[in-house]
Each structure stands twice: as structure tokens, then as C-alpha cells.
Amino acid sequence: MKITISKQTPMNYHGEMLFFCVQHAKGNKAPQCGNPTLQKNINNAFNAKDFLGKEGQTLITYPNSTKNKKSPTRLVAVGIGKDELCRELFRICGGTIAKSAQSCKASKIMVVIPETLNFPLNEIAECLTEGIVLGNYSFRKYKTNSKNNDDPQFLSSIVYAAKSDRKVREGMKLGLTAAISGNKARDMANEPGNYWTSKHFAEYSHELSKKYGFKRQVFGNSKLASLKMGGLLGVNQGSDEPAQLIILEYRTGKKVPTLMLVGKGLTFDSGGISLKPGAGMQDMKYDMCGGAAVLACMNAIGTEKPSNLDIVAIVPATANMPGPSALKPGDIVTHHNGKTVEVINTDAEGRLILADALSYGVKKFTPDAVIDLATLTGAVIVGLGHHRSGLMSNDDDLSKKIELAGAKSGEPLWRLPLDKEYSKQIESKVADLKNVGDKGAGTITAGAFLKEFVDDSKWAHIDIAGTAWGFTDKSYIPKGPSGIGVRLLLDLIRSW
Ligand code: BES
Ligand code: ZN
Ligand code: ZN
């Protein structure tokens, strides 16, 4: 998709749709767009109470076209609502623009940047771009009859009409990097489990390291055995495909803090011997969304090359299958840091693979902060539904930073406690820990488990089981995988 900025008079645009963003009418006044032709239609639609400029509302009109005169085929007003202006409103507006273009099968559009609104122009351009590019997303790789008339049309060219092109360009670049990377995470998640295996995670990390010059290491089963990663290897035992521990390092070459990102790369979670029920099991191909978010974020980091942080990304990748040598309830595994764990339920496998990745990472890289992302517990959906990710942390400052980045990026979180009482729930009679805590608080006991593997590092755990797919209904969020975590991490890194 090509995005350009133009100072041309919008009405001379010869594309399929010309969009204007308008605020919700105040009192008896119709929404104002600044374009006389469209304004007449807005006034009429307003008087008929059909168009008020509400968030997500659109009004499509068709200007009289005179021969030889260049003008767009459609003039469209998009409502941004009457709430206080914020970043999310412009993302939603961008998503609405993409959906409206799809409904008209338009591929070339112009969007007039609302330069008179009382909101920073670079942020308007950034968030509109995020919304349009994320809203334009679709995964069609496996659709073979793609010449169908009913097939949706996707955007190929967007022109922003703006007078001040420096600020708009600045924002547009940020938005584009974030959205392309978010879409990349969605692509990985949409791939089926019989294609996107641990090997594909390793291959994508290779692509990233070649493209951006990251240092890369990938450990297979024999190396994992020598590192005594009994959790990752244990979960992998039921599967034909070997496990992979993928490590990418972005280095500034300066004396800056190191941030370590760890993502659960469980390419299919059958539950293992503690087999999951059949209904909905197909969604467990998405159990790698944490790993996808971390690698997609490295794509953004490679593009932007931040100067304020060194970043280490680690993805433990494997499937969780019930094969003849699979881990069984009652088995005991020994992790990289020597801690032993009694496996009560083989379906609580995410914490087992993360435990090795975290304990190896904190020892090897001594990071200044550690963040892990994982589709870890169904319980987080009980607590927070599909609107916020669960956040647990041993550090208030890190936690606040993450919450702020979540609010800014439209990927909100809610912090849960990690008091020592929760850790008591995962004490085992026969080993150091057990992988399931009794008596409720399933999300927190999973967090309490991970805490045992980060030593004294400042650490935060983000449970994205409720938000990685089926995330809140929004114009720029598709029904399937949302790409959650990518923009959150990117915002955090940008503002560190
Ligand atoms: N991958 C699942 C968590 C999950 C559940 C993600 C639903 C998205 C939607 C995880 O590995 C799991 O199975 N967790 C168990 C833990 C339990 C056995 C303690 C769960 O939440 O049921
Ligand atoms: Zn599981
Ligand atoms: Zn899982």
C-alpha cells in the first residue's frame, strides 16, 4: 500500500473516494467539513437526523460529475464523535475509512487531514494511518478462488491532503511502522498450526536478522538439553517437531538500558495428555500470539532503530501434543535455573516453556527490565473479558509505564496483585512448585509461577489470552487475531 501526502485541492482528486473527518454536531449545528459540496449533503442528512457525525458513522455522497472535470467519485463524511479528542478516536476513524472503502470496492482514496482540530497534527496522522492500515487487513493466503466478484477490494493507494506536510509525514511514518508490524503478527497467528511450527518462528527470526542485522541464536533440542531446559523440552515431548528457543538481539552500541521481551510461541495447544475439549480447540493455533507480538515488534525496532534501548527478544516455540512420550500429570520437570516443578495439568504448559526462557534470559543478559507476553490462562477472560489484557509485575514503575503505553496505544491493561498468598497456592508436596494453583485466581497463580524464574529483575507479565483474538469490537480490529502487544510494546519503547 502506498501512502503519500499532497497539497493538491481535494476536489481535484480523481480517485474513488474523498474522505473528510467531522466532529459530532453540537446542539443544533450540523457537523462541519469545510467542503461546500459535501456540506450541503451533510446539512440535509443532519436535518433528516440520518447523520450526526457519531463515532463510526459515515455519509457517502456522489458529486455531479461534469465531463473533462476532475473530481472524486464519492465524497464521504466520517464521524469522529463528540467525546474529547484522543488518539483512539482517530484510529477508529481510520478503521471506518478502510471499511467504507471496502464497502464501495474502492482501492484509491484521499483523506483530508483535519488540520483545524485542536489536537496535535502528527498524532492525528499517526493514528489515522494505524487505523486505515490495520483496518485494511485481511488474511487471504489460503483462498484459492480469488477472482470472485464478491471478493473484497483492498486499498492500494492513500493520499493525505494536508497543508503542513512535515508533521503529517512524521506521524504517518510512525503509524505505518506500527500497523505493518501489527499486521505481521496477525499474519503469523492466522497461519494454521500445520504450517506455522517452531521451525517457521526460527525462519522468520532469520529473515529479521538478515534484514536488520540483529544477532540471532536458535537452540534446538540437544542444545536445550545441555542448558537443562526441562520445561520447554517436557512440553515438546509429545510432538514430532523439535522445540526452538529463538533469541534476537538489537544493540545500539551505546551505554543504554536493556529491555528483554519474551513471548509464548506455543504453535498449537491441544492440552497434551490433559487434553482440551474439542469445541473451539482450533483456536489454540493462536497460542503463539505472544511470540508473534515479540517478533513483529522486532520488525518495528529494526525499522526505527531506537537509540535509547538495547532489546533482546526471546521466543520459546513448540506445540503441546499428546504423543506417546508426552509429559503426564504427576511428572516432575527440572527447569534451567534448577527449580523442580510437579506437572499437575499438562495444559498449563505456557508457564513451563516461559520459565526456561525467562530464567535463561535474566541470567545471560541481565536486563534492566523484562516483559513477557503470553496467552496464558482462560481465567483472564473470566476476570477481564476481551477488553483488557492482564498485567502482573514486581515493579510499580515498570507497571505504570506499561499501563500508560497501553492507554496510548489502544491496548489497555488491568493490573492484578501478586501477593505472597498466591505463591502459596503453587507449593508442591513433592517438588519446588506445581504448575497449577488450587482455589481460584488462575491468572495470578500463573503470574506467581513465572515470578519464580526472574530472580530480582524488574519484570512484568502480560496475559493476552482474552485480547490476542476476539479483542473488543472496533473498526480496525478484525474478528480473528488482533496483533495485540505489538503497538503496546512499540509505544513503550518509543517513550522509554
Ligand atoms: N493456552 C491456554 C490458555 C488459553 C485459554 C488461551 C483460552 C486462550 C483462550 C493455556 O495453555 C491453558 O490451557 N491454560 C489452562 C491452565 C489451567 C490448566 C490451569 C487454562 O486456562 O485453562
Ligand atoms: Zn494449555
Ligand atoms: Zn497454552
Side-chain angles (χ1 to χ4, degrees):
M1 188 198 302
K2 214 172 115 197
I3 310 186
T4 51
I5 302 168
S6 166
K7 289 195 164 74
Q8 118 185 62
T9 310
M11 282 307 272
N12 290 341
Y13 175 67
H14 200 39
E16 298 161 80
M17 297 176 99
L18 172 61
F19 288 92
F20 293 82
C21 311
V22 299
Q23 282 185 291
H24 189 295
K26 287 213 174 72
N28 238 352
K29 199 163 176 240
Q32 300 297 304
C33 72
N35 176 288
T37 317
L38 179 59
Q39 190 62 50
K40 270 188 214 144
N41 287 291
I42 291 179
N43 293 347
N44 293 340
F46 176 75
N47 291 336
K49 297 195 169 54
D50 285 355
F51 182 79
L52 302 173
K54 283 187 190 160
E55 181 187 308
Q57 229 182 1
T58 52
L59 176 70
I60 303 181
T61 70
Y62 302 84
N64 293 331
S65 55
T66 41
K67 272 205 185 119
N68 302 326
K69 194 181 158 235
K70 275 192 168 186
S71 70
T73 316
R74 302 171 189 85
L75 298 180
V76 191
V78 184
I80 53 174
K82 65 175 160 196
D83 292 342
E84 203 183 316
L85 293 175
C86 65
R87 295 167 60 88
E88 183 67 358
L89 278 184
F90 292 104
R91 262 183 226 116
I92 290 171
C93 178
T96 307
I97 289 172
K99 292 284 158 317
S100 174
Q102 265 167 35
S103 75
C104 295
K105 291 191 178 297
S107 65
K108 293 187 180 70
I109 63 166
M110 176 180 262
V111 178
V112 178
I113 299 289
E115 289 172 286
T116 55
L117 293 180
N118 189 17
F119 201 75
L121 203 51
N122 50 340
E123 294 193 52
I124 293 180
E126 177 188 347
C127 296
L128 271 178
T129 307
E130 276 186 18
I132 295 173
V133 178
L134 288 165
N136 191 44
Y137 178 81
S138 153
F139 185 76
R140 307 191 63 77
K141 181 174 161 190
Y142 294 95
K143 293 270 189 197
T144 56
N145 54 343
S146 66
K147 289 280 170 286
N148 212 313
N149 249 358
D150 300 333
D151 278 355
Q153 173 79 49
F154 294 96
L155 291 171
S156 61
S157 142
I158 304 163
V159 184
Y160 286 143
K163 289 191 191 77
S164 45
D165 79 349
R166 195 180 59 81
K167 287 259 163 212
V168 172
R169 193 171 307 280
E170 190 185 299
M172 178 189 93
K173 258 175 94 177
L174 293 176
L176 199 55
T177 303
I180 287 173
S181 302
N183 283 345
K184 182 64 210 178
R186 293 170 176 180
D187 274 346
M188 286 186 241
N190 269 313
E191 285 288 359
N194 60 343
Y195 175 79
W196 195 269
T197 58
S198 52
K199 193 177 83 200
H200 280 85
F201 261 127
E203 277 173 14
Y204 181 56
S205 74
H206 184 55
E207 226 179 271
L208 289 174
S209 76
K210 266 199 327 208
K211 191 164 176 193
Y212 301 119
F214 300 144
K215 178 173 176 197
R216 170 182 177 265
Q217 296 178 83
V218 175
F219 302 154
N221 282 10
S222 54
K223 176 76 177 171
L224 296 174
S226 70
L227 290 169
K228 299 193 167 34
M229 297 207 182
L232 179 52
L233 283 170
V235 172
N236 181 249
Q237 272 169 217
S239 178
D240 271 349
E241 291 268 347
Q244 309 268 269
L245 186 84
I246 295 143
I247 306 174
L248 288 178
E249 289 174 57
Y250 165 75
R251 299 285 174 195
T252 55
K254 295 187 202 122
K255 240 184 121 36
V256 292
T258 300
L259 172 65
M260 185 169 101
L261 305 174
V262 179
K264 173 178 172 183
L266 214 290
T267 56
F268 184 74
D269 184 9
S270 70
I273 296 297
S274 315
L275 197 65
K276 285 184 181 293
M281 204 206 267
Q282 67 280 4
D283 283 351
M284 283 300 133
K285 72 170 186 173
Y286 301 141
D287 209 17
M288 34 60 76
C289 283
V294 165
L295 289 194
C297 180
M298 290 305 278
N299 179 61
I301 288 160
T303 310
E304 292 190 353
K305 302 199 175 10
S307 58
N308 57 341
L309 281 176
D310 281 351
I311 295 154
V312 178
I314 308 187
V315 177
T318 177
N320 182 23
M321 299 295 284
S325 353
L327 212 55
K328 308 172 294 298
D331 284 358
I332 296 178
V333 296
T334 304
H335 284 284
H336 174 71
N337 67 351
K339 287 196 180 171
T340 56
V341 171
E342 180 189 9
V343 177
I344 301 295
N345 188 319
T346 65
D347 197 10
E349 83 299 335
R351 63 200 78 182
L352 299 178
I353 71 170
L354 288 168
D356 281 332
L358 287 166
S359 55
Y360 177 80
V362 295
K363 203 154 90 209
K364 181 85 183 167
F365 299 105
T366 53
D368 298 273
V370 180
I371 302 172
D372 76 74
L373 280 93
T375 46
L376 210 60
T377 65
V380 79
I381 307 174
V382 178
L384 301 176
H386 296 280
H387 310 302
R388 282 180 188 250
S389 303
L391 171 66
M392 284 139 272
S393 179
N394 59 7
D395 187 83
D396 290 346
D397 286 342
L398 178 61
S399 193
K400 277 190 195 117
K401 271 192 185 141
I402 294 173
E403 284 176 285
L404 193 66
K408 263 183 80 190
S409 60
E411 301 194 337
L413 309 103
W414 193 257
R415 189 175 177 186
L416 301 168
L418 274 180
D419 307 313
K420 60 181 186 311
E421 289 77 9
Y422 297 105
S423 299
K424 268 206 119 24
Q425 288 183 225
I426 50 168
E427 284 175 2
S428 161
K429 288 199 178 70
V430 292
D432 299 333
L433 300 163
K434 57 185 179 187
N435 77 332
V436 174
D438 32 35
K439 298 195 216 106
T443 300
I444 302 176
T445 51
F449 182 94
L450 297 179
K451 194 172 79 165
E452 296 297 320
F453 297 88
V454 295
D455 299 338
D456 296 330
S457 310
K458 293 179 179 177
W459 154 84
H461 158 58
I462 302 178
D463 193 333
I464 56 171
T467 50
W469 68 97
F471 186 34
T472 309
D473 225 358
K474 290 187 214 182
S475 59
Y476 67 93
I477 301 289
K479 287 270 176 286
S482 60
I484 199 114
V486 180
R487 290 180 305 105
L488 165 75
L489 292 175
L490 191 56
D491 197 284
L492 183 75
I493 292 164
R494 284 170 178 169
S495 51
W496 192 269

